[in-house]
Amino acid sequence: MFENIEDAIAYIESKRSKRTVDEFRTTLRNLGINIKQKHMIHIAGTNGKGSTVNYLRAILNANGYSVGTFTSPYIIKHNDRICIDGIPISDEDLLMYINKFYNTIENDHMSMFEIDVMIMLAYFDDHDLDYRIIECGIGGAHDKTNVIDAEISAITNVGMDHAEQIGPTLYDIINEKMGIIQPHQLFITSEISGTILARFQEQCDARDARMIVVPEYENIGFPFWFIYKDMTFTLKDQGYYQVTNARLALTIASKLIKFDRERTVKAVEEAVWKGRFETLDYYGHRIIIDGAHNVPAVKELIQTLKFYKDMKFCVIFSSIKPDQAKDCIGLLKAAGYPLILTSFKDDRAIDMESLATDGIQYNPDYQATIKAAVLQYQMVVVTGSLHFISQVRAMITGEH
């Protein structure tokens, strides 16, 4: 049992084990935790899950509804994973739940993610919420969030991220992610690949579920704008890719509520998802941080940066996955941006210096790298691992 939240979080973050969804479901059943709470929405996908959750939460909040959200990983602190109306679970509540479930955590050898899901379900059930939006961790079918009984499931897109865990092939990843589609459920996706959509439709047919596809929306101007129903939205300090995530969120929301036009437009336009093309001020200098940690995300970042071609900027990159890092560096180098590789403190750190080939710069100290870059460029773009982005954000904002 713990007396302070720091020790409690260190404890749960140290928990690593592999159990099945069925074993986890048994744990929840033995504890009497409600997995059939009202109005649950389940969101999976390779990229854009957190942004979609955030847009959907903002839309529902703006229209007068209370909303619980579960996302991962966190950017500032562990509590951020579990929120109500955008406010993270308090240290006091998180400590209470960890102590409450301590014996079960020990006896059932639970993992950190299982603990988070368990606490989230208990916390949400203890509050009178209108909606609960739950993001998958990795995959879908075997993700520990897949114990819930959702009324709508959604998949943002499918790419090759986490292939070592849910792959190795794209077909394997598709099968894993679409495992969140439940019988007689509404399923919504913003995926655009015909092959993947055909596989989704097969699954929906087999489960008597109805599929809605959010069509691709091409935007050629900046700031980015789009129309949904009778509403026009303009995204000024958000990534190009957020148009797709916002339209997916609006499509989901349209099946749940009737929109107040002005409130909905304001909610979407003012939504900020920390670490996703987030603009920060660093002593009067502009820094963009974006957790583009895989190839699809880097391609989307590059698409956004094309609209900043008149600005002098550089890209600072770091990663914890060597194969992904090589591919991402190749894309950024091919795009022609001044590219600086750096390192940060992490147990899974890789040798970034060995990837600094063909004239690419390397500086081992990311803080010194950023401080030097802002003096030379109009804008500095920091991207790569979400763990890297989290540390950079803490350095700039002072939030821990």
Side-chain angles (χ1 to χ4, degrees):
M1 305 291 272
F2 303 94
E3 294 183 0
N4 64 74
I5 191 60
E6 292 78 17
D7 289 345
I9 288 176
Y11 166 73
I12 65 172
E13 289 186 348
S14 72
K15 306 300 282 184
R16 296 287 184 269
S17 63
K18 291 187 179 296
R19 299 201 306 160
T20 67
V21 174
D22 285 339
E23 287 172 325
F24 180 48
R25 189 179 286 110
T26 298
T27 295
L28 297 177
R29 183 169 59 246
N30 291 340
L31 288 169
I33 291 179
N34 183 10
I35 61 175
K36 296 180 179 292
Q37 299 175 33
K38 69 176 183 179
H39 299 320
M40 285 182 156
I41 298 98
H42 202 189
I43 298 180
T46 297
N47 291 313
K49 299 187 296 295
S51 296
T52 301
V53 169
N54 189 50
Y55 280 122
L56 182 54
R57 189 271 310 159
I59 293 164
L60 292 172
N61 278 166
N63 282 275
Y65 299 94
S66 59
V67 184
T69 56
F70 179 74
T71 56
S72 63
Y74 64 87
I75 294 295
I76 300 176
K77 58 190 297 188
H78 197 104
N79 310 48
D80 297 349
R81 293 168 176 250
I82 304 168
C83 295
I84 290 179
D85 296 335
I87 300 172
I89 185 172
S90 68
D91 286 347
E92 293 76 16
D93 281 340
L94 184 54
L95 179 61
M96 181 272 290
Y97 284 109
I98 293 171
N99 283 331
K100 178 180 179 179
F101 297 127
Y102 177 79
N103 289 335
T104 299
I105 292 169
E106 283 292 297
N107 294 336
D108 287 13
H109 305 289
M110 298 179 68
S111 69
M112 179 191 73
F113 194 74
E114 289 178 330
I115 297 165
D116 284 336
V117 174
M118 175 177 63
I119 291 174
M120 172 268 295
L121 289 170
Y123 183 58
F124 288 175
D125 201 39
D126 285 342
H127 290 76
D128 184 21
L129 303 176
D130 295 310
Y131 294 97
R132 297 152 173 84
I133 313 167
I134 297 168
E135 175 192 344
C136 278
I138 296 174
H142 297 94
D143 189 81
K144 298 304 167 57
T145 61
N146 207 29
V147 297
I148 67 171
D149 186 15
E151 66 177 271
I152 295 177
S153 61
I155 296 177
T156 55
N157 48 54
V158 178
M160 288 299 293
D161 202 18
H162 299 297
E164 67 278 8
Q165 289 137 302
I166 59 175
T169 70
L170 181 62
Y171 187 79
D172 294 324
I173 295 172
I174 295 168
N175 287 343
E176 172 63 25
K177 290 191 184 296
M178 71 183 189
I180 68 168
I181 302 172
Q182 302 301 323
H184 317 297
Q185 187 190 59
L186 177 60
F187 169 66
I188 304 174
T189 183
S190 49
E191 175 59 64
I192 59 174
S193 164
T195 300
I196 296 172
L197 289 174
R199 189 72 189 93
F200 285 169
Q201 187 62 65
E202 271 188 338
Q203 182 77 346
C204 287
D205 290 345
R207 298 203 161 192
D208 194 24
R210 181 164 68 98
M211 183 168 83
I212 295 175
V213 179
V214 180
E216 189 175 13
Y217 196 98
E218 184 175 5
N219 203 313
I220 59 174
F222 180 82
F224 312 122
W225 68 274
F226 66 95
I227 297 171
Y228 184 84
K229 295 187 181 293
D230 63 339
M231 299 172 284
T232 301
F233 300 86
T234 303
L235 306 185
K236 295 179 181 178
D237 290 318
Q238 302 184 43
Y240 180 89
Y241 51 86
Q242 296 292 33
V243 172
T244 298
N245 297 326
R247 295 180 72 246
L248 174 58
L250 284 161
T251 304
I252 297 169
S254 73
K255 306 306 174 185
L256 301 170
I257 65 169
K258 183 177 180 180
F259 296 124
D260 177 292
R261 183 179 179 279
E262 288 187 12
R263 290 180 178 180
T264 301
V265 171
K266 188 172 186 288
V268 171
E269 291 185 345
E270 295 182 357
V272 174
W273 187 231
K274 294 180 178 66
R276 272 66 170 192
F277 210 81
E278 182 183 7
T279 301
L280 300 174
D281 177 80
Y282 185 57
Y283 298 107
H285 300 280
R286 186 181 188 186
I287 295 181
I288 303 289
I289 60 171
D290 190 277
H293 59 286
N294 55 39
V295 167
V298 168
K299 287 180 178 178
E300 290 174 339
L301 173 61
I302 290 170
Q303 184 71 18
T304 298
L305 292 176
K306 287 178 181 178
F307 294 91
Y308 290 82
K309 60 182 181 295
D310 294 331
M311 292 189 72
K312 182 183 179 184
F313 67 87
C314 73
V315 177
I316 298 173
F317 176 86
S318 193
S319 178
I320 57 175
K321 296 185 176 181
D323 291 338
Q324 280 191 355
K326 289 177 184 177
D327 293 338
C328 291
I329 290 167
L331 288 171
L332 292 167
K333 184 174 182 294
Y337 310 129
L339 180 60
I340 307 170
L341 306 186
T342 189
S343 300
F344 66 105
K345 291 182 179 179
D346 192 280
D347 292 340
R348 296 159 294 177
I350 62 174
D351 181 10
M352 292 298 299
E353 184 175 14
S354 67
L355 302 176
T357 57
D358 301 321
I360 297 174
Q361 296 181 56
Y362 171 75
N363 187 326
D365 185 335
Y366 77 86
Q367 296 192 15
T369 303
I370 292 170
K371 289 174 182 176
V374 296
L375 299 176
Q376 186 177 354
Y377 296 94
Q378 290 175 282
M379 183 175 80
V380 174
V381 180
V382 183
T383 189
S385 164
L386 289 170
H387 302 276
F388 172 50
I389 295 303
S390 177
Q391 291 185 27
V392 171
R393 193 180 191 283
M395 164 198 159
I396 295 170
T397 66
E399 297 178 26
H400 296 274

